[in-house]
Amino acid sequence: MKNLVIVESPTKARTISRFLGEDFEVIASMGHIYDLPKSKLGVDTEKDFAPDYQLLKDKKKTIDEIKKVSKKADKIIMATDLDREGEAIAYHIAQNIGSKDVDRIVFHEITKEAIEEALKNPKKINKDLVDAQTARRVLDRLVGYKLSPILWSKVRRGLSAGRVQSVALRLIVEREREIEKFKKSPYYTILTTLKKDSTETIFELLEINKEKIEISEELDLYDGEYKFTKTSIEAQERATKIEEDLKTKDFVVSDVTKKEMKRTPPPPYTTSTLQQDGARRMGLSGRRTMQLAQKLYEEGYITYHRTDSVAIADSARNQMTEYVKQQFGDKYLPETPRFYKNTSKNAQEAHEAIRPAKVSVTADRITKDLGAQYGKLYEIIWRRALATQMADAITESTVVMVDAGSGAYTLKANGSVLVFEGFLKINPFALEDKRLPDFVVSEKLNYVNSLSEFHETLPPPRYNDASIIKTLEEKGIGRPSTYATIISTIESRGYIEREESRFKPTSVGIAVNDFLVDNFSTVDDIPFTAEMEDELDQIANGEKEWVPVIRQFYDPFEKILDKVKDVKRVKIEVEQTNELCPECKKGNLVVRTGRFGKFLSCSTFPDCKFTKPLVQETNLLCPKDRGKIVIKKTKRGRRFYGCSNYPKCDFAAWKLEDIKQAAA
DNA sequence: CAGTGAGCGAGCTTCCGCTTGACTT
């Protein structure tokens, strides 16, 4: 007799199977097996929001196999992830195979010890946690399937809204508005070069008559809490005058402060931070990063790649400590092993952090095995993880203050020298040594020159893959398995466009957002998500029932839905061109967006029905009639190349090489 | 692999979160 163990992923199944041996058969469910029907609401709002869960078509084979094995099995053990989605998967499977008496085990890391320990303390499925998942699913369906049809009738067919995507869109639109209303303001900094013996050092002007010039612009660290304090040197005239005045002063060192600073390694990667660095350091989209990581995971090179945990398994920590000791020596070990705690909201920590499965496997091997891009991604994972078990870096920073003209001006220079590299040995940051001469208090320095530099305050930057994912995670919107798809969704709906890999809302995106904010501000915001998450936790803890929670949301929501039916249709702004319509010669051509992307049409539509495709040209010529080759998209969104003289010429190809070949 | 927008009003679009594999680049 065997025991049947059920998990989500086939890779997890393989690993666990190795640990457990002959008496256990491990089967993967491949994620959820039940879901609401796609073609209708599937929630009975009249009958306590009863969900119409159905077996997913592609799960039929899997569930048949589970059923078959379960009949002969001694015990059925659910070992799905320990969060609410995992609990629901376990519950749905138990329900489907008609087995009430199943064991439930949970573990935080996939190691032999952790699983054996869990097997000793089997529990039952936690219905409260399952209820929390039901509430989450029903809520998302109600919001998505009630709001989207309103957009079809008030804005345009095929559009969508949802608890997560609409908040993401709102962030992007609101950032654009901040940028639009931002007023640049000019300011000047004054740099003075002074000489000690033959060494020159650049000092920055800090105070005038002991009053501080405030310049604080931390745009690189922008996180929605953007702050800017104006400097007192705004006019060029004044800057030039100060610059001149400095020439006549005596310069005396007034203070020298030295401080040792520690720098600790950042925590190991989660899905969110990996995607951020994939974008920042390799220029990858969230989607691409996940594709590469999936392969690394399947090949057994890294731990699970959809996680919000920064925890590291004890065995892995020991392995890394041993590796650091051997490769770099005891000096590079931290005083005590490092443990990391989650800081992000709503972390459910069903898995470990993303780390190499074996620290002894280096990036070279991955590059040989899978290719350079895989090798590079593995390398940043490896470095980040290993660095967590290395010593702090130590720098000595020096601040030197100089007095000019007995209190008229105060100047400052900073220096920093790396004393001990520690973890930076393998996880280097841009950290430049800036060594200052050994200044002594009250020594005199010689004037070399003084220069004022012009600056302008900058608006906050548009979001990119990295910063939007970071923001979403911080606000508790979306899950590791969905960060990449959130962006794909709002992009494929035509709500946002990429401009130099940063997100800019389109006219449709702005229209949809404003419509939702104006009419559904109670759903389309971050406090709603946060409150709902708290309530879901209360359901999971058994403090609340799920149906009243949903009802409390739905009743007022339904009233708003009803009221909005009378709101008038939203007009989307169209982009004008200078081209006169070649057919009626009355209107100009405008850029409209249809089902297949952008196209040009006459502004007098429906009087004139002229249309013309808006296409991106290539520098190739059509092999048939020498027309220009342009880039087009199929109905399914696939890219292909066609002749600009279509429909007169019907030449088309999938690849650029095919055209070159056809030409030759 | 070749069309789009408005409205007429057939039948259709749509959510979030869990997972891989079958497609293609």
Side-chain angles (χ1 to χ4, degrees):
Chain A
M1 267 303 174
K2 276 195 171 186
N3 296 309
L4 171 61
V5 177
I6 294 173
V7 298
E8 285 99 328
S9 105
T11 315
K12 188 171 161 185
R14 223 179 304 141
T15 313
I16 291 182
S17 174
R18 251 199 342 260
F19 295 151
L20 294 179
E22 293 292 304
D23 297 337
F24 293 83
E25 177 152 358
V26 189
I27 301 181
S29 77
M30 310 273 223
H32 278 292
I33 63 148
Y34 277 168
D35 198 12
L36 300 171
K38 214 166 144 338
S39 57
K40 53 180 186 187
L41 185 64
V43 173
D44 193 340
T45 53
E46 306 291 313
K47 284 192 181 147
D48 283 350
F49 306 99
D52 176 16
Y53 272 132
Q54 299 178 1
L55 183 65
L56 289 163
K57 267 197 199 123
D58 56 339
K59 295 294 154 60
K60 181 89 175 65
K61 261 177 84 177
T62 317
I63 205 78
D64 283 348
E65 172 73 9
I66 292 175
K67 238 181 234 170
K68 206 179 87 193
V69 179
S70 72
K71 292 227 168 77
K72 329 177 272 191
D74 223 13
K75 251 197 260 176
I76 301 168
I77 303 158
M78 298 294 176
T80 46
D81 292 351
L82 54 69
D83 52 19
R84 62 176 176 241
E85 300 295 330
E87 202 75 8
I89 291 171
Y91 180 76
H92 292 155
I93 292 172
Q95 233 184 1
N96 187 280
I97 64 178
S99 183
K100 287 192 189 93
D101 190 33
V102 300
D103 281 349
R104 168 77 168 125
I105 60 168
V106 295
F107 35 87
H108 279 93
E109 51 178 68
I110 307 179
T111 58
K112 197 171 181 211
E113 301 73 39
I115 289 158
E116 282 170 353
E117 189 58 35
L119 279 168
K120 280 187 214 154
N121 306 298
K123 297 184 282 189
K124 292 293 154 198
I125 289 175
N126 178 351
K127 188 66 185 355
D128 292 334
L129 203 48
V130 177
D131 284 349
Q133 194 273 344
T134 309
R136 199 278 305 154
R137 184 68 190 92
V138 167
L139 173 79
D140 283 338
R141 175 51 70 97
L142 288 172
V143 172
Y145 273 38
K146 289 285 183 181
L147 284 185
S148 300
I150 296 192
L151 294 179
W152 305 340
S153 69
K154 300 295 177 191
V155 188
R156 177 188 295 167
R157 57 165 287 141
L159 298 179
S160 67
R163 176 178 58 87
V164 167
Q165 60 168 288
S166 298
V167 177
L169 173 62
R170 184 170 178 174
L171 288 170
I172 292 168
V173 173
E174 283 179 353
R175 176 62 58 86
E176 196 68 20
R177 296 240 156 91
E178 277 180 69
I179 295 170
E180 276 165 14
K181 72 166 192 232
F182 186 86
K183 282 201 193 83
K184 280 190 211 169
S185 62
Y187 68 92
Y188 293 84
T189 53
I190 296 172
L191 302 175
T192 305
T193 306
L194 302 175
K195 207 160 152 182
K196 171 184 171 129
D197 304 327
S198 58
T199 325
E200 293 183 351
T201 305
I202 299 171
F203 289 80
E204 188 177 345
L205 179 61
L206 193 71
E207 291 171 352
I208 301 174
N209 295 323
K210 300 283 175 194
E211 257 184 56
K212 209 164 187 153
I213 302 165
E214 284 185 17
I215 305 164
S216 80
E217 239 199 324
E218 300 193 2
L219 284 166
D220 286 344
L221 302 171
Y222 186 86
D223 61 354
E225 304 289 318
Y226 175 72
K227 256 188 267 162
F228 174 68
T229 334
K230 256 196 253 168
T231 147
S232 58
I233 312 177
E234 283 179 294
Q236 189 181 7
E237 262 172 79
R238 183 155 180 237
T240 315
K241 224 166 122 188
I242 295 168
E243 197 186 301
E244 288 297 310
D245 196 29
L246 276 164
K247 275 186 196 169
T248 67
K249 303 294 185 224
D250 289 327
F251 299 89
V252 181
V253 176
S254 59
D255 189 46
V256 179
T257 315
K258 290 194 174 184
K259 234 203 254 166
E260 253 194 13
M261 311 267 272
K262 274 185 189 168
R263 187 159 176 175
T264 51
Y269 283 129
T270 59
T271 302
S272 156
T273 49
L274 180 66
Q275 287 184 24
Q276 289 170 43
D277 267 9
R280 266 199 295 260
R281 301 170 76 148
M282 295 174 67
L284 304 174
S285 67
R287 226 182 96 119
R288 182 65 184 151
T289 299
M290 292 309 272
Q291 276 173 2
L292 297 171
Q294 171 94 28
K295 184 87 177 160
L296 289 173
Y297 165 67
E298 281 170 9
E299 298 290 325
Y301 289 132
I302 60 170
T303 52
Y304 195 55
H305 56 299
R306 289 193 275 259
T307 177
D308 54 17
S309 169
V310 285
I312 295 173
D314 291 340
S315 56
R317 186 179 299 100
N318 295 339
Q319 213 187 92
M320 291 195 269
T321 302
E322 210 40 51
Y323 188 88
V324 172
K325 213 195 274 184
Q326 273 179 20
Q327 297 289 317
F328 313 117
D330 285 352
K331 218 173 106 182
Y332 282 88
L333 288 174
E335 282 169 24
T336 54
R338 257 188 264 270
F339 297 85
Y340 289 88
K341 274 204 191 109
N342 266 61
T343 52
S344 78
K345 272 187 202 165
N346 307 329
Q348 302 195 11
E349 309 200 50
H351 305 275
E352 271 192 75
I354 302 171
R355 61 164 174 86
K358 270 196 206 133
V359 70
S360 55
V361 176
T362 55
D364 295 348
R365 184 160 140 210
I366 311 292
T367 304
K368 267 184 213 136
D369 186 9
L370 300 172
Q373 225 177 10
Y374 290 95
K376 176 82 188 147
L377 189 73
Y378 179 82
E379 187 175 348
I380 67 173
I381 294 170
W382 186 88
R383 286 178 186 276
R384 177 100 162 202
L386 192 60
T388 65
Q389 301 311 316
M390 291 179 73
D392 289 340
I394 298 168
T395 53
E396 187 188 69
S397 78
T398 311
V399 179
V400 180
M401 307 296 273
V402 166
D403 176 84
S406 310
Y409 302 103
T410 312
L411 319 181
K412 181 181 136 177
N414 293 314
S416 174
V417 178
L418 192 60
V419 180
F420 174 61
E421 57 184 349
F423 78 95
L424 293 176
K425 190 171 183 71
I426 61 151
N427 195 12
F429 289 84
L431 190 81
E432 265 173 47
D433 267 7
K434 191 179 149 201
R435 192 177 285 276
L436 296 178
D438 290 323
F439 291 110
V440 182
V441 173
S442 75
E443 76 176 302
K444 285 188 179 162
L445 302 176
N446 293 320
Y447 176 87
V448 179
N449 65 42
S450 197
L451 283 170
S452 62
E453 265 185 4
F454 174 76
H455 304 272
E456 258 178 334
T457 59
L458 294 167
R462 286 187 177 130
Y463 286 106
N464 59 12
D465 279 283
S467 59
I468 193 79
I469 289 167
K470 181 164 189 263
T471 308
L472 291 173
E473 193 201 21
E474 281 170 356
K475 313 272 184 199
I477 300 162
R479 303 283 315 137
S481 66
T482 60
Y483 293 135
T485 39
I486 296 166
I487 298 165
S488 308
T489 301
I490 54 178
E491 204 176 357
S492 66
R493 294 274 174 272
Y495 293 164
I496 61 168
E497 278 173 343
R498 281 172 196 265
E499 204 172 283
E500 286 163 0
S501 76
R502 290 189 176 268
F503 306 134
K504 189 187 164 187
T506 62
S507 51
V508 186
I510 291 168
V512 166
N513 177 68
D514 293 354
F515 177 82
L516 292 173
V517 172
D518 286 349
N519 297 289
F520 295 96
S521 56
T522 48
V523 180
D524 185 18
D525 72 355
I526 288 164
F528 171 75
T529 307
E531 276 165 36
M532 196 42 82
E533 202 57 51
D534 282 346
E535 302 218 69
L536 293 178
D537 282 345
Q538 288 170 1
I539 296 169
N541 295 333
E543 291 164 28
K544 278 191 178 172
E545 300 279 327
W546 79 267
V547 175
V549 168
I550 297 299
R551 181 167 293 128
Q552 196 195 337
F553 151 76
Y554 188 71
D555 286 352
F557 180 59
E558 199 180 22
K559 286 204 182 85
I560 304 172
L561 286 170
D562 203 48
K563 226 169 44 190
V564 172
K565 287 196 178 104
D566 303 328
V567 172
K568 68 172 190 285
R569 220 185 140 84
V570 176
K571 277 212 177 105
I572 301 167
E573 276 190 45
V574 289
E575 196 187 317
Q576 306 286 334
T577 71
N578 294 325
E579 212 176 323
L580 193 69
C581 174
E583 205 163 277
C584 69
K585 302 208 162 53
K586 279 180 197 151
N588 271 354
L589 295 184
V590 295
V591 182
R592 293 190 206 271
T593 315
R595 260 182 300 165
F596 311 114
K598 291 185 171 179
F599 68 102
L600 293 166
S601 81
C602 183
S603 60
T604 64
F605 181 88
D607 293 340
C608 167
K609 292 195 173 55
F610 177 80
T611 67
K612 173 172 137 177
L614 178 74
V615 289
Q616 213 185 321
E617 291 185 347
T618 67
N619 49 15
L620 287 176
L621 293 181
C622 174
K624 266 192 179 170
D625 70 346
R626 316 297 295 162
K628 273 219 166 92
I629 293 293
V630 294
I631 299 169
K632 303 198 140 196
K633 273 192 180 158
T634 70
K635 283 180 196 170
R636 297 159 102 198
R638 216 180 130 194
R639 184 182 162 124
F640 75 97
Y641 301 93
C643 177
S644 58
N645 293 332
Y646 181 85
K648 262 193 270 174
C649 169
D650 67 349
F651 177 82
W654 286 122
K655 292 181 193 170
L656 281 173
E657 292 97 74
D658 297 343
I659 304 169
K660 284 175 200 156
Q661 251 175 21

